Amino acid sequence: MAGREQRDGDGGAAPALGVGMVGYAFMGAAHSQGWRTAGRVFDLPLRPVLAAVGGRDAAAVRAAAARHGWAAAETDWRALVTRDDVQLVDVCTPGDSHAEIAVAALAAGKHVLCEKPLANSVAEAEAMVAAAESAAERGQVAMVGFNYRRVPAIAYARRLIAENRLGVLRHVRVTYLQDWLVDPGFPLTWRLEREHAGSGALGDLGAHAVDLAQYLAGEPLVGVSALTETFVRERPLLAGATTGRAAAGSNRRGRVTVDDAALFTGRLASGALASFEASRMAAGRKNALRLEINGDRGSLAFDLERLNELSFHDHTEPAPSAGFRRILVTEPGHPYLEAWWPPGHALGYEHTFVHQARDIVHAIAGNTAPAPSFADGLQVQRVLAAVAESAERNAVYTRVPAPAV
């Protein structure tokens, strides 16, 4: 339980795993929480140590190190990935630097955890997979951070589908809606610039939606038909690089070069149909991730705003008593719940990053392939690229290249 000392099988303290993290904003804070907490909740074979955090702004990165418990601060990521006290590099930067940092860290002999989407292009993702495959031969691990796989209810849904409780899959539906861009006065940030973010709602939210669909179904998407739209094409320029506010009294504006919303349909390898919607312009929706999967034996539904619950319908039951029932996913037998609180005591968003840290530590200690791997991240990137191509061709059906065997 919380606060207990980690012990290895010989009764000694578990060996340290020095973690170096590049990036310290929203995702950096979430990952820091995961690294600080994982070893205090789970009995881990390695003990995560927050060795160093990196960022370009010296004052800001020092403040982040003090706030989140990192022992040292670096302003050059190249120095961080070569530190002797760092065995794992956690990449929490904008997408345009994922490939460079991850490949360099792997070349330096480090394990790597990289935030999603894996990269800003298929070519970058392919280079990252090649580097990860070479590193795996040296015993290194590389994992992409699709944290929603670590929601216990979603992990349990995957278990039910793998046990054939839904039978032959027919439909997969995923929507991921936010509203933080509804105000046209919201300033132009890096997330709205293609050169930094790669894409907009498609990569930011759609990447999660695509990964969850393929993870839960246990099969890839093979083709898509898509529409995207940018509703606000210019936004006020920021007053400064770190203020997060538009320049007061300024009429200076910059061009938005990514999508505000993406809508697409798809087909899974088995022939099941899929639909997706990702938007950062859905007024009133803060972080509304919802999914439903229908098969010939049953259905599952999940809503992130009720993340400790899963709705399940067993279609083999007699019709008079059949229907969706609520499963409260807080039992010790549910995924990740063996180390947390008594049944009925809910978990939250931050716990997904604790579970993520747990899983990659076990992969490193056991020298096993992590999931989701960089190859899984590449598959998502290929779907996103097909969506973008289809949208450019006005919803023409676009095939997704098959994953490498």
Side-chain angles (χ1 to χ4, degrees), residues 226-307:
L227 296 171
T228 60
E229 185 56 72
T230 304
F231 299 109
V232 178
R233 297 183 177 273
E234 289 188 342
R235 289 185 178 271
L237 293 176
L238 287 172
T242 61
T243 63
R245 300 188 303 272
S250 172
N251 292 322
R252 296 178 62 222
R253 303 181 70 82
R255 190 165 67 92
V256 176
T257 52
V258 299
D259 58 279
D260 286 327
L263 177 68
F264 55 103
T265 56
R267 187 181 297 277
L268 292 163
S270 65
L273 301 181
S275 66
F276 303 86
E277 184 177 4
S279 177
R280 302 188 293 202
M281 298 283 276
R285 298 300 183 190
K286 302 304 176 184
N287 198 40
L289 172 61
R290 294 175 176 143
L291 61 88
E292 182 169 323
I293 302 178
N294 309 124
D296 67 347
R297 291 173 53 85
S299 295
L300 288 169
F302 171 80
D303 183 344
L304 185 64
E305 293 177 353
R306 304 176 70 175
L307 61 72

Side-chain angles (χ1 to χ4, degrees), residues 72-399:
E74 296 277 5
T75 55
D76 183 349
W77 65 260
R78 294 170 183 82
L80 184 144
V81 303
T82 57
R83 288 177 63 113
D84 291 338
D85 59 349
V86 169
Q87 289 84 50
L88 180 147
V89 174
D90 187 353
V91 184
C92 294
T93 59
D96 60 329
S97 59
H98 283 187
E100 184 180 15
I101 298 172
V103 170
L106 291 167
K110 315 298 184 180
H111 308 288
V112 173
L113 170 63
C114 184
E115 254 303 319
K116 49 58 63 181
L118 185 62
N120 278 2
S121 69
V122 170
E124 288 177 337
E126 288 174 338
M128 294 171 75
V129 169
E133 289 174 346
S134 295
E137 297 176 359
R138 302 189 295 270
Q140 294 165 244
V141 162
M143 189 172 86
V144 61
F146 283 110
N147 65 296
Y148 289 130
R149 290 193 183 198
R150 269 75 191 192
V151 174
I154 288 178
Y156 186 58
R158 172 62 193 140
R159 183 186 298 175
L160 291 174
I161 293 170
E163 292 172 351
N164 201 37
R165 297 293 295 276
L166 268 59
V168 178
L169 300 187
R170 303 300 192 200
H171 304 285
V172 177
R173 304 179 191 86
V174 189
T175 62
Y176 198 168
L177 310 177
Q178 297 177 346
D179 72 352
W180 58 278
L181 288 179
V182 169
D183 180 3
F186 188 91
L188 189 73
T189 71
W190 69 265
R191 291 185 182 275
L192 303 176
E193 298 175 316
R194 183 176 298 276
E195 62 267 32
H196 297 303
S199 63
L202 176 60
D204 188 15
L205 308 180
H208 276 303
V210 169
D211 180 68
L212 286 176
Q214 296 183 138
Y215 166 63
L216 289 171
E219 55 181 299
L221 284 156
V222 296
V224 295
S225 181
L227 296 171
T228 60
E229 185 56 72
T230 304
F231 299 109
V232 178
R233 297 183 177 273
E234 289 188 342
R235 289 185 178 271
L237 293 176
L238 287 172
T242 61
T243 63
R245 300 188 303 272
S250 172
N251 292 322
R252 296 178 62 222
R253 303 181 70 82
R255 190 165 67 92
V256 176
T257 52
V258 299
D259 58 279
D260 286 327
L263 177 68
F264 55 103
T265 56
R267 187 181 297 277
L268 292 163
S270 65
L273 301 181
S275 66
F276 303 86
E277 184 177 4
S279 177
R280 302 188 293 202
M281 298 283 276
R285 298 300 183 190
K286 302 304 176 184
N287 198 40
L289 172 61
R290 294 175 176 143
L291 61 88
E292 182 169 323
I293 302 178
N294 309 124
D296 67 347
R297 291 173 53 85
S299 295
L300 288 169
F302 171 80
D303 183 344
L304 185 64
E305 293 177 353
R306 304 176 70 175
L307 61 72
N308 292 276
E309 301 177 19
L310 188 65
S311 293
F312 173 59
H313 166 64
D314 185 343
H315 202 62
T316 66
E317 294 181 358
S321 61
F324 277 93
R325 66 173 182 264
R326 169 178 172 264
I327 301 174
L328 185 61
V329 187
T330 61
E331 294 291 328
H334 289 138
Y336 303 106
L337 271 300
E338 74 279 2
W340 287 107
W341 319 120
H345 292 72
L347 300 189
Y349 172 77
E350 73 275 13
H351 296 89
T352 65
F353 298 96
V354 179
H355 302 159
Q356 177 174 270
R358 168 196 178 274
D359 287 350
I360 194 169
V361 167
H362 276 287
I364 292 168
N367 194 25
T368 57
S373 66
F374 274 19
D376 295 323
L378 170 58
Q379 168 61 17
V380 172
Q381 202 71 47
R382 285 173 170 157
V383 173
L384 300 182
V387 169
E389 180 182 345
S390 173
E392 289 173 2
R393 299 170 63 198
N394 197 26
V396 172
Y397 185 80
T398 304
R399 292 191 179 277

